[in-house]
Amino acid sequence: MTNDSETQLPADGDATAEEAAAVPRTRIPELLHAAVEAVGGVERPGQVRMAEAVADAVDHGEHLLVQAGTGTGKSLAYLVPALAHGDRVVVATATLALQRQLVERDLPRTVDALHPVLRRRPLFAMLKGRSNYLCLHRANEGTPSDEGEGLFDPVDALGGPTGKLGQEVLRLRDWADETETGDRDDMSPGVSDKAWAQLSVNSKECLGATRCAYGQECFAEKARERAKLADVVVTNHAMLAIDAIEGAPVLPEHGLLIVDEAHELVNRVTGAATAELTVGAVNRAVKRAARLANEKAVDALQAAAENYHGLMETAQPGRVEELPEYLAYAVTAIRDASRQVITSLGETRDKGLSDEDAVRKQAMASAETLHETAERLLEDSEYDVVWIERSDRYGLGTASLRVAPLSVSGLLREGLYKERSVVLTSATLKLGGDFNGVAGSLGLPKETRLPDERTPGDNPEPGLSSGPDEEAVPYWRGLDVGSPFKYPKQGILYVAKHLADPGRDPERPDMLDELAELIGAAGGRTLGLFSSMRGAQAAAEAMRERLDHRILLQGEDTLGELIREFASDATTCLFGTLSLWQGVDVPGSACQLVVMDRIPFPRPDDPLMSARQKDVEQHGGNGFMAVAATHAALLMAQGAGRLVRAADDRGVVAVLDPRVETKRYGSFFRSSMPEFWYTTDRNQVRRSLAAIDASAAPVRPVAKRG
């Protein structure tokens, strides 16, 4: 599949590990040129500038934020200096698509291209969390039962071999005999989350390589071993979060960390540091403990579960600044009972069970997670936000308690920037024309920012740049290398100033009229980005009644299939919400109009966002701009980036929210987006869309009449 599957010895003439040394920075442009040619790309000035800046940051032990617009070729711009440096590199990305591009295309070709100069072939590997790999123990021995009826769930209990879940499990077991990686993302077609959960384990449930009968063949262990030997390890933000903030090293030691898609890192780290106490989780812990823990401990946890369930049925959603006494009592009961179960599981041994270890490990993992979450909820830390949330995932009428960090900037500053240089890059890191907002959220304060361009006298004092010292200062620079695209000539940013300000109700007749006219002028070719699923559904229903164009709606098929259909038919439109703002890459005539229905501010009742906003205000800052506006600007910048994906793309980004023009904060949003030609002239935009449409496809559907 890739060269991460086995260790390779140096070829004749290759340098040994001892002989390998960093290539002088003066040769970076030469190496980059060779790599770009190898992948069939075109070298960009911004790409060269970025590569030299990465090499410079590594040489001086500094950190670097690089905004590299679409089309820059930033992957090669950081891979080339990383490989030339000679130390192990970890590349963390947010999306599967970029991970695959790096491992299957960019790295193999770059390694081949640089081999003559480096005199070595750096090894590379992909590493994910344990639950992303199929567990051979479960595939061969079965899944520990949550029902207490026998040790393992037979296929019949999963709906039988003809039921959907049973069929998926059988297919997974067959796949276990064929796959070389066990990586879920290598299975095509894939299976549901529920089916995958039957044959995978998390780190707490794993028996461990030495105790598991399949330890020598374990896919997750093999991936870890390859990562230990690799010069470049490609991983994801979730793994990086665990490594950086949980004090449990899961990544091999490395001298350089590159965070691609860095605009996503704060959300991914927040997600990794968020815990929830659900009724379902407590009930599962009871069932899993029933076979092995003593009866007294299980009864105590059962009673705590029933009490918590009753309280959660009537609990009202929203932030909980201090747990009320009745709720604190219920959480305390869960904490204490789960502690009893943990103790009991450690003491008891049921010799009659043929696979006791697997059952015990699963039960212990559930009890430990309960205990940790309950303990955290009861700590009432000023650095955490607690709230009650209702979700259909847990059944109608049932809520759960959630807890998340008020901010992750401190966690990132403490865990991310020591003992290595860190390069963070994305197409959207400057908001309102400045790096400081995003940098601060990533743990890089503006007080430690160095000039963007190095001068002879601006080096920090020796020993103060980030290093092994706990008090090390995370010195950093910001660099915007621009984009090779000519945004003012390729795109228009249109704000519909004449519309009424949007309210909470998604029914906006004037907005729907505007949307229909824009789609008609564009001949379809529209990506509709909505701030809520309710708004997307309402718009899709209205456009289907008014227009002959096919309207695809997120949720009516898999996202991948919807994007494929959208890209294959230029007259089709695709409407959706959050994942479309950042996850669509459709160059060419299929996407010539990107519409945003409104500024995507977080909901006013969002507990975490409102808590963060309040905290900024209490410290004398502007909470609205620092939290709500920054959140929205990042999404709008990403959304606007969906329009121009290639050098010959042309089109319009239409914002159907007049506040981008009429409110004082509007300039912040406009300056966060690509530098398109700006207008509020609706007639000019319609003429431009019609001209673009005519040049792309002379014949198009017309609006329905009557």
Side-chain angles (χ1 to χ4, degrees):
M1 186 174 153
T2 66
N3 80 336
D4 63 351
S5 61
E6 59 181 340
T7 306
Q8 296 182 3
L9 298 175
D12 291 342
D14 280 2
T16 64
E18 292 75 15
E19 295 170 336
V23 175
R25 191 161 65 87
T26 54
R27 300 199 66 182
I28 293 298
E30 172 194 346
L31 295 176
L32 180 63
H33 181 75
V36 170
E37 280 197 339
V39 300
V42 177
E43 193 171 275
R44 311 287 191 184
Q47 188 182 44
V48 176
R49 192 177 172 207
M50 177 177 172
E52 292 179 327
V54 171
D56 185 75
V58 175
D59 287 347
H60 290 86
E62 298 166 358
H63 310 300
L64 179 68
L65 263 67
V66 186
Q67 176 162 292
T70 306
T72 302
K74 60 179 168 41
S75 297
L76 290 185
Y78 60 66
L79 286 178
V80 168
L83 292 170
H85 181 62
D87 205 346
R88 178 181 284 125
V89 182
V90 168
V91 180
T93 76
T95 63
L96 172 64
L98 183 53
Q99 289 176 46
R100 285 195 174 280
Q101 175 187 315
L102 289 171
V103 172
E104 297 178 4
R105 192 188 72 178
D106 292 350
L107 274 166
R109 297 178 183 179
T110 303
V111 165
D112 287 344
L114 301 189
H115 174 240
V117 177
L118 299 179
R119 293 182 55 220
R120 54 186 171 85
R121 291 187 180 276
L123 302 176
F124 48 90
M126 189 183 293
L127 182 63
K128 304 177 184 179
R130 188 172 293 275
S131 61
N132 290 278
Y133 301 96
L134 183 139
C135 173
L136 287 171
H137 187 279
R138 286 198 169 184
N140 290 288
E141 306 297 336
T143 305
S145 171
D146 284 340
E147 304 302 325
E149 298 294 335
L151 266 181
F152 295 95
D153 284 334
V155 171
D156 288 344
L158 304 174
T162 59
K164 181 180 178 182
L165 183 57
Q167 285 183 322
E168 288 186 324
V169 169
L170 288 175
R171 188 155 61 86
L172 273 170
R173 287 177 178 168
D174 290 339
W175 182 69
D177 295 329
E178 304 168 1
T179 176
E180 294 181 4
T181 65
D183 185 338
R184 180 180 182 179
D185 294 316
D186 289 341
M187 186 181 190
S188 182
V191 296
S192 65
D193 290 346
K194 191 170 184 179
W196 184 259
Q198 300 293 318
L199 272 72
S200 66
V201 296
N202 59 36
S203 58
K204 288 185 176 181
E205 295 172 336
C206 176
L207 293 173
T210 58
R211 298 181 63 190
C212 178
Y214 302 90
Q216 297 300 312
E217 306 167 59
C218 176
F219 294 122
E221 289 299 322
K222 286 183 177 180
R224 286 175 177 248
E225 289 304 313
R226 289 195 295 270
K228 289 178 183 177
L229 298 172
D231 301 282
V232 180
V233 179
V234 179
T235 188
N236 53 50
H237 288 182
M239 286 283 283
L240 179 61
I242 294 170
D243 190 80
I245 70 177
E246 293 191 5
V250 294
L251 299 173
E253 290 187 7
H254 51 282
L256 173 62
L257 170 65
I258 296 167
V259 183
D260 206 339
E261 302 169 311
H263 64 278
E264 284 276 9
L265 185 61
V266 169
N267 286 339
R268 301 302 173 103
V269 173
T270 299
T274 298
E276 58 184 342
L277 189 64
T278 70
V279 171
V282 184
N283 287 333
R284 279 194 300 276
V286 171
K287 292 175 182 177
R288 291 174 176 179
R291 294 282 301 183
L292 293 173
N294 67 50
E295 187 174 345
K296 182 179 179 181
V298 175
D299 287 346
L301 189 55
Q302 177 70 57
E306 291 173 357
N307 182 42
Y308 184 64
H309 189 181
L311 294 175
M312 287 295 101
E313 282 188 316
T314 57
Q316 296 302 307
R319 186 181 178 189
V320 180
E321 300 211 26
E322 182 178 352
L323 284 179
E325 186 176 351
Y326 71 92
L327 201 50
Y329 175 83
V331 176
T332 300
I334 291 173
R335 180 198 63 185
D336 294 345
S338 59
R339 179 71 261 175
Q340 291 180 51
V341 168
I342 292 168
T343 301
S344 175
L345 289 171
E347 293 174 348
T348 61
R349 293 291 183 270
D350 187 345
K351 301 298 184 181
L353 296 178
S354 60
D355 229 319
E356 177 186 323
D357 280 349
V359 180
R360 185 184 307 283
K361 196 72 174 179
Q362 187 181 62
M364 186 71 83
S366 289
E368 287 176 345
T369 300
L370 278 187
H371 185 270
E372 291 167 6
T373 304
E375 186 74 26
R376 184 176 171 188
L377 287 165
L378 292 169
E379 283 176 358
D380 192 28
S381 169
E382 62 179 307
Y383 302 109
D384 272 340
V385 179
V386 177
W387 71 96
I388 295 172
E389 181 174 290
R390 289 193 173 276
S391 173
D392 291 340
R393 289 184 299 162
Y394 314 124
L396 296 175
T398 304
S400 64
L401 275 169
R402 304 198 83 198
V403 55
L406 180 62
S407 170
V408 298
S409 61
L411 295 173
L412 288 172
R413 179 170 179 172
E414 288 299 312
L416 203 65
Y417 301 106
K418 295 176 181 177
E419 302 182 6
R420 59 189 173 189
S421 288
V422 181
V423 174
L424 303 110
T425 184
S426 167
T428 48
L429 289 177
K430 290 175 71 175
L431 298 181
D434 191 84
F435 279 112
N436 289 337
V438 172
S441 70
L442 291 167
L444 295 172
K446 62 182 179 181
E447 292 79 13
T448 63
R449 183 176 181 178
L450 298 170
D452 293 350
E453 301 291 344
R454 181 178 303 281
T455 59
D458 74 355
N459 288 334
E461 296 178 26
L464 289 185
S465 61
S466 59
D469 184 354
E470 289 187 2
E471 300 300 321
V473 178
Y475 285 115
W476 63 280
R477 299 179 192 273
L479 176 66
D480 182 359
V481 300
S483 169
F485 301 145
K486 297 177 173 59
Y487 285 125
K489 294 183 177 181
Q490 290 184 248
I492 297 172
L493 173 60
Y494 163 60
V495 175
K497 181 182 177 182
H498 62 284
L499 298 180
D501 286 357
R504 292 191 177 184
D505 190 345
E507 298 294 334
R508 297 171 59 199
D510 61 342
M511 184 275 287
L512 294 176
D513 290 343
E514 182 78 8
L515 178 60
E517 290 184 22
L518 289 170
I519 293 174
R525 313 177 193 281
T526 301
L527 176 65
L529 305 176
F530 294 82
S531 59
S532 70
M533 201 61 227
R534 187 181 170 198
Q537 291 167 345
E541 182 179 346
M543 295 305 104
R544 285 167 176 169
E545 291 177 356
R546 299 188 190 195
L547 303 172
D548 283 334
H549 297 289
R550 186 182 180 201
I551 309 294
L552 303 174
L553 179 63
Q554 185 178 354
E556 294 181 345
D557 204 334
T558 65
L559 188 57
E561 184 59 31
L562 288 173
I563 293 174
R564 280 191 292 272
E565 289 189 49
F566 176 56
S568 65
D569 182 359
T571 65
T572 295
C573 304
L574 174 59
F575 290 2
T577 183
L578 188 59
S579 56
L580 293 188
W581 288 74
Q582 305 180 83
V584 178
D585 184 7
V586 180
S589 62
C591 182
Q592 294 184 336
L593 173 62
V594 174
V595 177
M596 305 179 196
D597 69 328
R598 65 172 73 197
I599 300 172
F601 289 124
R603 297 192 328 268
D605 60 349
D606 183 302
L608 185 55
M609 288 294 191
S610 59
R612 288 175 170 174
Q613 187 166 322
K614 182 178 178 181
D615 181 66
V616 172
E617 291 165 354
Q618 289 175 340
H619 287 84
N622 186 326
F624 169 75
M625 292 302 297
V627 179
T630 295
H631 168 86
L634 186 57
L635 277 176
M636 293 184 77
Q638 284 286 310
R642 302 308 98 200
L643 180 68
V644 176
R645 311 298 296 177
D648 56 354
D649 283 354
R650 293 186 299 156
V652 172
V653 173
V655 182
L656 307 187
D657 187 336
R659 294 175 294 178
V660 175
E661 167 64 24
T662 61
K663 300 297 185 182
R664 290 181 61 186
Y665 54 72
S667 60
F668 177 73
F669 294 110
R670 297 196 302 272
S671 61
S672 299
M673 290 188 273
E675 296 179 346
F676 296 129
W677 187 77
Y678 178 67
T679 185
T680 59
D681 186 337
R682 58 192 302 198
N683 293 322
Q684 174 62 55
V685 166
R686 282 156 178 72
R687 288 193 298 270
S688 297
L689 282 171
I692 295 171
D693 178 35
S695 65
V699 180
R700 55 182 172 83
V702 295
K704 289 183 178 179
R705 298 183 180 275

